[in-house]
Amino acid sequence: MKTKIYLYRKRLNMTQEELAGIVGVTRQTILALEQGRYNPSLELAFRITRALKAKRIEEVFILTS
């Protein structure tokens, strides 16, 4: 799964550590998500979307085949 977490984080001037703290995961989890090495649960994807002030989950997470 591809994500735009990095882009949204940078727009908000937010570090990986800050985002991780807000959504309740480790910085390593955010890094793995940004690199496409980890697929989040639906709940985590929604928490990240809200934390990044995106309107829809599809704006942040892109399904790939």
Side-chain angles (χ1 to χ4, degrees):
M1 174 177 294
K2 293 186 179 185
T3 75
K4 294 183 181 178
I5 294 172
Y6 177 81
L7 295 173
Y8 275 86
R9 240 183 359 89
K10 290 303 175 183
R11 287 181 192 163
L12 296 172
N13 199 28
M14 184 184 295
T15 66
Q16 289 176 340
E17 190 72 40
E18 290 168 333
L19 178 58
I22 292 168
V23 300
V25 297
T26 65
R27 184 194 64 77
Q28 289 82 3
T29 300
I30 300 300
L31 176 63
L33 285 164
E34 288 183 354
Q35 294 178 341
R37 295 186 290 119
Y38 177 71
N39 289 330
S41 67
L42 186 56
E43 179 185 351
L44 178 56
F46 275 111
R47 287 196 319 249
I48 291 170
T49 299
R50 279 189 298 244
L52 295 174
K53 301 185 185 338
K55 295 188 188 309
R56 297 182 10 222
I57 197 168
E58 295 88 354
E59 295 174 5
V60 180
F61 296 91
I62 300 118
L63 287 175
T64 57
S65 51

